[in-house]
Amino acid sequence: MPNIILIGINHKTAPVALREKLSFSIEETLAALETLKQHPGIKEILIFSTCNRTEILYVASRSGTVDTLITFLSGSKQISPSEFVPALYILRKEEAIHHLFRVAASLDSMMVGEPQILGQIKLAYRTAVKAGTSKVLLNRMMHKSFSVAKKVRKETGIGDNAVSISYAAIELANKIFSDLSTKTVMLLGAGEMAELAVEHLISHNVGQIRVSNRTFENAVALAERFNGRALGFEERVDALTEVDIIISSTGATDYVITADQVKKAMKKRKYRTLFFIDIAVPRDIDPKINQLSNVYVYDIDDLKTVVASNIQQREQETVKAERFVSEAVIKFRQWLDSLAIVPTIKALNEKMTGIVEMECDKTLSHLSHLAEPDKDAIRRMTQAIATRAIHDPIMFLKHTGGHRDDSLYLNVARQLFNLDMLENQ
């Protein structure tokens, strides 16, 4: 098997302060790849860096490359090796492949099943392609990781059910109203939680969005970003008569909506359902509101219970996902093994022999007047022609030259003669 190596740190081995120091922007990644591809011991290389991990995946042609990369990281990030090496993991060959497939399938994420990681890995791959550092092995390996990630997401429930407070809140609203496209949502607060909630609301095709905040200009800014309408904070109570869902995440220390205010509003709205999601700590919404008819209040503890249940369901799905990953690793290893010279020559000989025997038998079946010795002579001749025909390609594969990439020529040969399809039949 080729010397595939993966080194890196992630949220399990290093605190965020260290991960920050070793992170790469897209521009830094490109510059690093341009430098590292000049190293004679590195045949292919790819870097992926997110908030939770920085990993370098590469194919080495000689020993000592791990020390080279540690020195490179230390120099480019201005950090002593003693500071990050203890947190570094070094995986080789099948372990490296297995790790990559698990990362792409979101099985190694801080939140199992989160969808962002696959997009981040695809971006890292495109960057390596742009730098010309991803070739036969990494190309195949990365595409295999994409396909196994897609299978895991499609055939398991690993991505089902919300596992963030803001997303859980929107899913809850969607379940209660069935169709959010006809509903109006008012956000109380314009901070990060509100912003996340708006993004989830838009993905659920919510009808209209109102944003109310103590600092009006922040409400205007958030509303403009998402094609909503800003309200003054003092307008929030009057708005209760026209909105259907209120998501509150202010920094207030007292309730910003009281039971008396909602009681009056319900009469004006003829007791149409009103749904509050309170994700603020301390709470924004008076819990007594829950006692009013046709009014529902869910606070952050209610949502945490939903999220915890969903996380447990996702973890149950990881068993099936891990099996898909293991199967993909086995198939990829088989492909790697096939790139060795002996299996390729053997497969090429078998294919040519099979073709010659089939065509020869077909022809001889129409030449019944020939004696058996004559038929044997024709068989020997056709077999000799086939052997001579593939002699030069085989000699080339055996002696591609020390400076060339053997895996490239073997892969091309297997594709030209369709050998992988033959073996998969």
Side-chain angles (χ1 to χ4, degrees):
M1 180 183 286
N3 198 13
I4 298 170
I5 302 174
L6 185 146
I7 69 171
I9 62 166
N10 63 18
H11 58 283
K12 297 174 184 172
T13 66
V16 65
L18 180 56
R19 300 201 302 274
E20 285 172 348
K21 290 181 180 178
L22 290 176
S23 67
F24 284 79
S25 66
I26 294 295
E27 294 75 20
E28 289 173 330
T29 300
L30 265 175
L33 293 176
E34 290 294 339
T35 300
L36 292 170
K37 74 179 182 182
Q38 307 300 326
H39 192 280
I42 296 175
K43 297 169 71 175
E44 304 182 41
I45 188 166
L46 179 149
I47 299 172
F48 46 95
S49 182
T50 71
C51 59
N52 284 327
R53 70 185 65 242
T54 292
E55 296 182 340
I56 302 177
L57 174 68
Y58 67 104
V59 182
S61 60
R62 64 173 65 170
S63 59
T65 51
V66 170
D67 291 337
T68 298
L69 288 175
I70 289 174
T71 302
F72 174 80
L73 284 172
S74 175
S76 63
K77 292 297 172 182
Q78 297 294 297
I79 176 172
S80 167
S82 62
E83 195 174 340
F84 70 88
V85 167
L88 206 63
Y89 44 87
I90 303 168
L91 306 172
R92 299 176 187 276
K93 299 185 178 180
E94 198 161 316
E95 280 187 341
I97 299 165
H98 188 262
H99 178 82
L100 172 69
F101 289 1
R102 289 190 79 249
V103 171
S106 189
L107 292 171
D108 196 57
S109 296
M110 184 178 287
M111 185 59 69
V112 171
E114 55 94 1
Q116 288 83 13
I117 187 65
L118 182 58
Q120 292 165 332
I121 290 181
K122 286 183 175 179
L123 177 60
Y125 173 58
R126 288 197 297 272
T127 305
V129 170
K130 185 177 180 181
T133 59
S134 181
K135 301 175 185 175
V136 174
L137 293 183
L138 289 191
N139 284 345
R140 182 98 173 201
M141 191 170 167
M142 296 309 295
H143 282 287
K144 193 66 183 174
S145 75
F146 303 154
S147 67
V148 72
K150 185 177 178 183
K151 183 174 182 178
V152 165
R153 187 153 292 275
K154 186 177 179 182
E155 298 185 24
T156 74
I158 197 170
D160 295 346
N161 304 313
V163 291
S164 71
I165 294 293
S166 56
Y167 193 40
I170 305 308
E171 283 215 328
L172 200 56
N174 195 40
K175 284 179 182 174
I176 288 178
F177 288 103
S178 300
D179 180 13
L180 293 183
S181 65
T182 60
K183 304 303 175 187
T184 299
V185 177
M186 178 167 67
L187 299 173
L188 297 179
E192 184 182 356
M193 293 289 272
E195 191 173 326
L196 286 171
V198 173
E199 290 174 354
H200 294 316
L201 283 167
I202 290 173
S203 69
H204 281 77
N205 300 316
V206 70
Q208 297 182 56
I209 295 172
R210 306 280 187 268
V211 182
S212 178
N213 192 63
R214 287 188 192 278
T215 305
F216 187 62
E217 60 182 5
N218 291 344
V220 171
L222 186 60
E224 282 184 348
R225 278 183 59 195
F226 298 101
N227 201 26
R229 197 176 90 195
L231 299 175
F233 200 63
E234 64 281 0
E235 294 180 278
R236 68 190 186 283
V237 177
D238 290 340
L240 294 176
T241 59
E242 62 179 59
V243 302
D244 305 290
I245 302 165
I246 297 94
I247 301 176
S248 190
S249 61
T250 77
T253 53
D254 296 317
Y255 299 138
V256 299
I257 298 288
T258 66
D260 286 342
Q261 290 167 336
V262 175
K263 190 173 181 180
K264 292 174 184 174
M266 287 302 288
K267 191 173 181 182
K268 290 180 182 176
R269 57 188 286 124
K270 297 180 180 176
Y271 297 97
R272 284 183 293 112
T273 300
L274 191 57
F275 180 42
F276 290 88
I277 300 172
D278 187 357
I279 50 181
V281 179
R283 289 178 293 182
D284 286 338
I285 310 300
D286 185 350
K288 291 179 182 173
I289 292 173
N290 223 2
Q291 298 171 6
L292 299 175
S293 178
N294 236 14
V295 182
Y296 304 91
V297 178
Y298 285 82
D299 62 27
I300 198 162
D301 281 352
D302 297 324
L303 295 171
K304 279 180 178 175
T305 303
V306 173
V307 168
S309 173
N310 290 345
I311 288 174
Q312 190 174 12
Q313 288 180 34
R314 281 193 178 194
E315 287 174 349
Q316 290 171 353
E317 292 296 316
T318 62
V319 176
K320 191 192 296 184
E322 293 283 6
R323 176 163 56 80
F324 290 159
V325 167
S326 296
E327 289 171 354
V329 171
I330 291 170
K331 288 181 180 177
F332 188 75
R333 188 189 62 207
Q334 289 172 341
W335 176 77
L336 285 175
D337 292 343
S338 76
L339 289 183
I341 182 68
V342 172
T344 300
I345 291 174
K346 183 171 178 284
L348 187 55
N349 271 319
E350 287 176 349
K351 178 152 190 176
M352 293 303 293
T353 300
I355 292 171
V356 165
E357 287 180 351
M358 183 179 67
E359 294 300 326
C360 190
D361 289 346
K362 192 190 299 181
T363 301
L364 292 177
S365 68
H366 299 291
L367 301 173
S368 56
H369 61 283
L370 293 179
E372 279 304 316
D374 295 332
K375 291 181 180 178
D376 289 342
I378 291 175
R379 289 191 182 98
R380 286 195 297 274
M381 179 191 70
T382 52
Q383 189 59 55
I385 291 172
T387 303
R388 291 291 299 271
I390 60 174
H391 176 267
D392 287 345
I394 287 175
M395 291 306 293
F396 177 80
L397 292 175
K398 284 182 175 178
H399 307 287
T400 57
H403 63 290
R404 293 174 177 167
D405 186 348
D406 290 350
S407 60
L408 172 63
Y409 291 100
L410 288 167
N411 186 50
V412 169
R414 299 189 73 86
Q415 290 187 47
L416 281 175
F417 290 96
N418 218 7
L419 300 181
D420 291 329
M421 182 174 286
L422 181 71
E423 291 187 346
N424 290 331
Q425 286 174 348

